[in-house]
Amino acid sequence: MKKLLLSSVLVASLFAMNSDSDINTKIQKLEKEIQTLKSELYKTQNKLNPIAANNHLFFSLDIRTTYDAIREKTTDGMGYTTIIPNPDGSVTFSGFNPNIPSKTYTNQIFTNRVILTGVAKPSDNLKATVRIEANNMFGMNSNNQYSPYNNISWVANETPDDINIRLKEAFFNYHFGPNNGLMFSAGRRPATEGFPANLRAGDDPNSPLAHLINMEFDGFSFEIGNDIFSTISDKFSDWGTWIKFCAGRGYSSSKGKWPYDGSPAYSKDNFKNTDFAGFILVPYDDGQYSLWTETVWAWNMKGYNFVTQQDAINAQNGLDFNASMQDLGNYFGFNTIFKADGIGDGISDFLDNTTAFISFALSKTNPKSGKQMLGSTDSKTGTSWWIGADMPGIGDNDRFGVNFVRGSKYWRSMTYGEDTLIGSIAAVRGKAYEVYYNAEIIPHLTAGLRATYIKYDYAGSDAFFGLAGNPDQQVYIEKASDIRAYIRYKF
């Protein structure tokens, strides 16, 4: 616009001239004025945004205020009413009650989530991203007293609690090789709100696929893009084939800088490292129809287990027993999704703008000798189906969607922090039903409604791999619902 105004002034001035000398004089004067104006604009830009102007660092802001009305109903049965921590790190399950009646819990919770993102891109093939987040319930709460694992690094940003600012993402992507078709990345990776969980939040998808993994992690990735596959065969170019390898660590065996037992700094504790590795393979993606797969292995998964054989006997007889956090075994998971970004070709505007998908996932435990994973010393296989669609709404900038998930008895998704206060629909052992509606009020300001209902067939859907993940527990959440409303500013 400023260039257009300057050009208009110059043209008008030229037509007003009566001689060549006058024209030359006026042109020289205008050139000086243009240079002066450019200098002033440059100084003004630097004052307004010196970081962006000089170092190519760009910021974005995401503020979301949410209301959740939750309702959870337990089953009838028997169970333990108290969990008592012991000085050695174990816990005692005490206060056995042979007749715990069904009970319904309700609550209304306001939360405020703030995400600040900084992106630096000094060149076309190098980008770094840092994202920090505060996710708090309105007012003070007692989570630190009742939920000792509420702020572990896998889920700290996904579970509303205090107003502390935490690191959500910090990583770089470096592209290299032929046509920059190779990519290496390291740091705290974006691992929540992958497809299809991103649809319900109205966001772009992250990696990995959310049906199998939807929790934060620290690690590495290496991608071989379609440009590389295309050099092997033209078919790969048509198919849109690519693959990404990932590896990370969920628990570091370390006593820290100053161990209280006199051990050397950062020496190993009594646990083993929890590591994982896997890959995302997209064999086909033509822009409309695609097939995605995800495969993952994890080692030394943890959870509470019986301290002695007598504790297991006591538990069977309804007596108090002790349990401690232990390395229990390994894990394998697989997920495949068929997705359609538009159904058919020109049948209707509605179908052209509909995203539909069907996802199948499988999990398999491999307990160490004598250890129990998910309540069993045997290897257990679980499966889950997730079917859904995200569709245009009644206006120009609104969408609504539906989700249905069904998980088997021993299904175990790698997620604790999916954005549903009653639990993860991806991890459900039973059935989950969900509808949502997201709409734009004005540019950068959106609002949404979501209703989630879960019918659990077994216990332990959102638990660790030990006793709490045992599907045969007699007291557990049988039914749960969450009615959510939010308003969100994003720029």
Side-chain angles (χ1 to χ4, degrees):
M1 176 62 72
K2 295 184 181 297
K3 291 182 178 180
L4 179 61
L5 291 174
L6 290 171
S7 300
S8 299
V9 171
L10 178 61
V11 172
S13 301
L14 290 176
F15 275 105
M17 305 298 178
N18 295 320
S19 65
D20 292 341
S21 60
D22 289 338
I23 291 176
N24 290 333
T25 301
K26 292 293 185 180
I27 289 177
Q28 292 175 1
K29 183 177 179 180
L30 285 173
E31 286 178 346
K32 291 181 180 179
E33 291 177 355
I34 290 173
Q35 292 299 324
T36 300
L37 182 58
K38 285 182 177 180
S39 178
E40 291 177 355
L41 289 174
Y42 181 78
K43 292 178 181 179
T44 302
Q45 181 183 13
N46 284 346
K47 289 180 180 179
L48 292 175
N49 197 351
I51 297 177
N54 297 327
N55 298 319
H56 309 285
L57 179 62
F58 305 94
F59 286 102
S60 65
L61 181 63
D62 186 342
I63 303 174
R64 188 190 69 191
T65 300
T66 305
Y67 167 79
D68 286 88
I70 63 175
R71 183 181 182 90
E72 299 165 299
K73 181 182 178 182
T74 62
T75 60
D76 291 315
M78 56 184 181
Y80 293 84
T81 59
T82 307
I83 301 177
I84 304 173
N86 298 320
D88 62 358
S90 66
V91 296
T92 297
F93 288 77
S94 184
F96 180 77
N97 186 335
N99 187 25
I100 296 179
S102 173
K103 185 177 180 180
T104 298
Y105 300 81
T106 62
N107 205 354
Q108 295 82 40
I109 299 173
F110 284 95
T111 60
N112 197 48
R113 187 194 71 178
V114 180
I115 299 176
L116 180 63
T117 303
V119 178
K121 194 173 183 180
S123 61
D124 290 338
N125 64 332
L126 179 62
K127 183 178 74 171
T129 301
V130 174
R131 182 167 286 136
I132 57 176
E133 177 176 341
N135 191 4
N136 73 287
M137 293 188 226
F138 279 25
M140 184 178 177
N141 68 86
S142 59
N143 267 358
N144 291 330
Q145 175 184 354
Y146 292 101
S147 302
Y149 301 108
N150 201 61
N151 292 323
I152 55 178
S153 60
W154 316 322
V155 299
N157 292 293
E158 308 304 316
T159 52
D161 189 358
D162 50 41
I163 59 172
N164 291 338
I165 297 174
R166 296 177 174 86
L167 183 65
K168 183 176 178 65
E169 297 171 12
F171 67 98
F172 69 87
N173 289 341
Y174 171 55
H175 295 264
F176 60 99
N179 297 321
N180 284 330
L182 301 175
M183 187 276 292
F184 174 76
S185 179
R188 189 162 179 80
R189 299 281 306 153
T192 59
E193 285 196 359
F195 188 85
N198 67 292
L199 296 176
R200 57 212 290 260
D203 291 327
D204 294 330
N206 285 326
S207 168
L209 301 177
H211 195 175
L212 186 63
I213 300 176
N214 194 29
M215 55 188 287
E216 299 170 5
F217 79 95
D218 306 286
F220 309 89
S221 65
F222 175 72
E223 181 178 319
I224 303 175
N226 181 248
D227 286 337
I228 302 298
F229 280 95
S230 298
T231 61
I232 301 173
S233 172
D234 291 339
K235 289 185 177 180
F236 285 127
S237 178
D238 297 334
W239 295 345
T241 305
W242 60 272
I243 189 171
K244 179 190 288 185
F245 299 94
C246 302
R249 174 158 291 178
Y251 180 85
S252 293
S253 176
S254 171
K255 294 182 178 180
K257 175 62 177 176
W258 292 286
Y260 68 87
D261 60 359
S263 301
Y266 299 107
S267 56
K268 289 186 176 181
D269 58 25
N270 295 325
F271 299 108
K272 295 182 178 180
N273 294 324
T274 299
D275 295 323
F276 69 91
F279 61 89
I280 299 171
L281 171 63
V282 179
Y284 184 84
D285 186 348
D286 65 6
Q288 180 177 9
Y289 300 111
S290 60
L291 180 67
W292 291 51
T293 68
E294 182 174 83
T295 306
V296 64
W297 294 266
W299 298 271
N300 302 313
M301 308 306 294
K302 293 172 174 54
Y304 279 103
N305 198 9
F306 299 117
V307 175
T308 65
Q309 185 61 34
Q310 185 61 47
D311 289 311
I313 296 174
N314 289 348
Q316 291 178 348
N317 295 327
L319 303 175
D320 293 357
F321 67 90
N322 293 321
S324 63
M325 187 69 74
Q326 302 172 24
D327 296 311
L328 301 179
N330 304 330
Y331 170 92
F332 170 79
F334 174 77
N335 184 196
T336 182
I337 292 181
F338 174 75
K339 178 177 65 168
D341 287 313
I343 300 175
D345 184 13
I347 299 175
S348 69
D349 290 340
F350 179 84
L351 292 178
D352 286 345
N353 291 282
T354 293
T355 297
F357 64 90
I358 180 169
S359 175
F360 171 77
L362 176 146
S363 65
K364 184 179 179 64
T365 58
N366 183 19
K368 295 183 177 181
S369 178
K371 303 290 187 179
Q372 288 190 3
M373 293 184 73
L374 308 183
S376 175
T377 56
D378 297 327
S379 176
K380 294 295 183 180
T381 299
T383 58
S384 177
W385 291 90
W386 187 347
I387 302 171
D390 183 79
M391 298 158 281
I394 57 177
D396 293 333
N397 297 297
D398 59 342
R399 300 187 70 83
F400 72 96
V402 295
N403 287 302
F404 171 74
V405 184
R406 180 164 187 171
S408 69
K409 181 176 181 178
Y410 288 100
W411 161 242
R412 181 59 170 80
S413 179
M414 295 288 287
T415 175
Y416 302 100
E418 187 167 314
D419 198 17
T420 303
L421 297 191
I422 55 173
S424 166
I425 64 170
V428 65
R429 295 170 175 174
K431 295 174 284 292
Y433 308 85
E434 184 174 80
V435 295
Y436 62 85
Y437 175 75
N438 298 321
E440 181 183 88
I441 301 174
I442 59 174
H444 307 296
L445 187 65
T446 59
L449 293 171
R450 189 178 74 197
T452 306
Y453 173 77
I454 299 177
K455 173 62 175 68
Y456 292 102
D457 295 333
Y458 304 96
S461 291
D462 295 291
F464 290 158
F465 283 86
L467 298 174
N470 183 354
D472 291 321
Q473 298 172 81
Q474 297 183 24
V475 177
Y476 59 94
I477 303 297
E478 180 183 23
K479 300 175 183 178
S481 63
D482 182 359
I483 306 298
R484 160 168 288 199
Y486 77 85
I487 187 166
R488 180 182 184 185
Y489 170 85
K490 187 176 182 180
F491 180 79

